[in-house]
Amino acid sequence: MTQTVLHRRRRTSTRALFAAGLVASLALATGCAKSEDDNSSSDKASSSSKGDNAGQEVASSGTGKTCDVSTFGGKKLDLKGATVGFSQSEKEANPFRIAETASIKAEASKRGIKLLTANAQSQFSKQISDVQDLIAKGADLLVIAPLNSDGWEPVLRAAGAKHIPIVTVDRKINATACKDYVSFIGSDFIEQGKRAADQMIEATGGKGTIAILLGAAGNNVTTERTKGFEDQIKAKAPGLKIVFKQTGEFAREKGQAVTEQLIQSKPDITGIYAENDEMGLGAVNALKGAGKKAGAVKIVTVDGTRNAVQGIVDGWISGVIESNPRFGPLAFQTLDSFTKGDKVGQDIVIKDSAYTKDNAKTDLNKAF
């Protein structure tokens, strides 16, 4: 065999190996680039945190008003044979949303229920079209984590025409319970704000100046967490003055940017109330960048993520009010009871715990 032939064979072999490798790489990339919109029930929830399936404990049935199939205008059905559509509002970069979706998927899988899912990627127009698409694909029931509280009329008309029951989780929609939707399941956000204020009062001694990193506009969570906090500060700590309020849009990067502005305009700020953990962690990053020492500015947040609770252990955060995202068990139990003809609460309020310097280290494994 000549040297030329050998070189040709080697080049051919190299090209073949390169082509095979390219095909494999493209296949891997395709798999990795799978959309967050997931319309298959075969994707079982995977979770790295303990207790994702622990669910929530009901504190009260809100107003005490109930709803049942006959009043709503639907029909009884076997939940096991039904198709449930779940609409997530935000990108699953936020630990709250990751835990929320994982809990819904895990409970659907546990119950053997076909689940269709979609993620609005923090775009309200997309969430409306997502839910309309879930209805078109045959969802018999809907679980919605709303991005905004207003603007749901197109979905409510489409669902109402087919008598599709809707349960909203985490945030409310501005509509009529037991007519437009069945139940809302979530926290008492005003109470969360009050409890955050109590922690801020304790951390600051009730004196000084404080800032509020507001959540995203257009939903009841931001409005109510703000009201609860401000009312409690006014009533219990007149020596604490709220001197700064700006939205951080529930995002870490935005929370950091707003806090950097805050430090420049009000370098002697005493405390920061962040209406979710991600903004609070952004505030921590900004304080570190400004050379502040841990605990120099008191930070109180709401959610209960592991990173925020670890922030208490490390001395950067004074307290965290929990907002439990594990809606799966309670959401499906509500749907199950409703579809059987039983009465369910129109407002189902869950219990939330809290993390302080006294329990943060021992209860870290309970965070999400």
Side-chain angles (χ1 to χ4, degrees):
M1 186 178 292
T2 67
Q3 193 74 12
T4 301
V5 172
L6 282 171
H7 281 311
R8 283 176 181 169
R9 287 192 176 181
R10 284 173 185 153
R11 283 199 300 270
T12 301
S13 176
T14 301
R15 286 178 188 141
L17 287 170
F18 175 78
L22 181 60
V23 170
S25 297
L26 288 171
L28 180 60
T30 302
C32 290
K34 183 180 178 183
S35 170
E36 284 190 73
D37 285 14
D38 172 20
N39 294 321
S40 170
S41 62
S42 62
D43 252 4
K44 295 186 178 180
S46 60
S47 173
S48 61
S49 60
K50 296 177 183 178
D52 272 344
N53 301 327
Q56 301 148 327
E57 186 179 349
V58 176
S60 69
S61 187
T63 60
K65 295 180 180 179
T66 60
C67 186
D68 58 64
V69 169
S70 60
T71 306
F72 181 77
K75 61 181 180 180
K76 295 181 182 179
L77 55 84
D78 183 357
L79 189 60
K80 283 189 176 180
T83 299
V84 176
F86 172 59
S87 169
Q88 178 57 275
S89 57
E90 300 174 17
K91 294 179 180 179
E92 291 177 16
N94 184 328
F96 184 97
R97 298 300 168 188
I98 294 171
E100 184 177 61
T101 298
S103 179
I104 295 290
K105 287 185 175 183
E107 187 66 17
S109 177
K110 178 182 175 182
R111 289 173 175 263
I113 294 170
K114 182 179 180 182
L115 182 70
L116 308 177
T117 69
N119 190 307
Q121 307 290 323
S122 302
Q123 301 170 47
F124 186 62
S125 60
K126 184 177 185 309
Q127 185 166 39
I128 295 298
S129 62
D130 280 350
V131 180
Q132 291 172 325
D133 188 51
L134 292 172
I135 292 171
K137 289 180 176 178
D140 300 301
L141 306 108
L142 293 166
V143 177
I144 300 174
L147 183 63
N148 294 337
S149 295
D150 291 320
W152 285 93
E153 291 78 10
V155 162
L156 299 178
R157 283 195 298 270
K162 295 186 177 183
H163 302 289
I164 297 174
I166 298 173
V167 167
T168 71
V169 296
D170 178 57
R171 295 175 183 170
K172 287 185 176 181
I173 59 175
N174 290 328
T176 304
C178 208
K179 177 185 175 184
D180 299 317
Y181 68 98
V182 173
S183 299
F184 159 72
I185 305 172
S187 300
D188 183 332
F189 303 114
I190 290 179
E191 183 63 21
Q192 286 180 342
K194 288 181 178 180
R195 294 171 69 199
D198 288 339
Q199 289 201 353
M200 181 64 75
I201 292 167
E202 182 177 350
T204 60
K207 296 180 180 179
T209 55
I210 51 178
I212 301 178
L213 300 185
L214 301 165
N219 66 77
N220 69 303
V221 178
T222 297
T223 303
E224 293 176 15
R225 283 180 182 168
T226 304
K227 176 175 172 51
F229 185 85
E230 291 181 334
D231 288 352
Q232 192 79 339
I233 292 294
K234 184 178 180 180
K236 289 195 170 184
L240 268 178
K241 304 298 181 184
I242 299 170
V243 296
F244 181 96
K245 288 194 294 185
Q246 190 169 325
T247 180
E249 298 176 1
F250 288 135
R252 188 180 302 196
E253 297 79 7
K254 184 73 173 179
Q256 179 172 343
V258 171
T259 304
E260 288 169 349
Q261 297 171 19
L262 168 67
I263 295 169
Q264 290 178 1
S265 63
K266 302 190 181 296
D268 297 323
I269 196 77
T270 307
I272 297 172
Y273 166 47
E275 294 185 340
N276 83 335
D277 287 353
E278 285 297 287
M279 293 189 296
L281 291 167
V284 169
N285 289 341
L287 293 171
K288 287 179 178 178
K292 299 281 187 181
K293 293 183 179 180
V297 177
K298 309 303 180 185
I299 299 176
V300 175
T301 71
V302 183
D303 266 352
T305 65
R306 291 189 177 214
N307 286 337
V309 178
Q310 183 64 50
I312 299 176
V313 177
D314 296 339
W316 284 97
I317 295 177
S318 297
V320 176
I321 303 301
E322 183 193 43
S323 194
N324 193 334
R326 300 171 181 122
F327 288 97
L330 189 53
F332 280 96
Q333 180 56 54
T334 301
L335 290 176
D336 193 23
S337 297
F338 178 80
T339 54
K340 287 177 179 176
D342 298 335
K343 291 182 178 181
V344 298
Q346 293 181 14
D347 288 284
I348 301 171
V349 180
I350 62 173
K351 287 184 179 180
D352 293 313
S353 62
Y355 298 94
T356 67
K357 62 181 181 181
D358 296 327
N359 68 356
K361 193 169 185 178
T362 56
D363 288 355
L364 184 60
N365 67 324
K366 296 179 182 179
F368 56 90

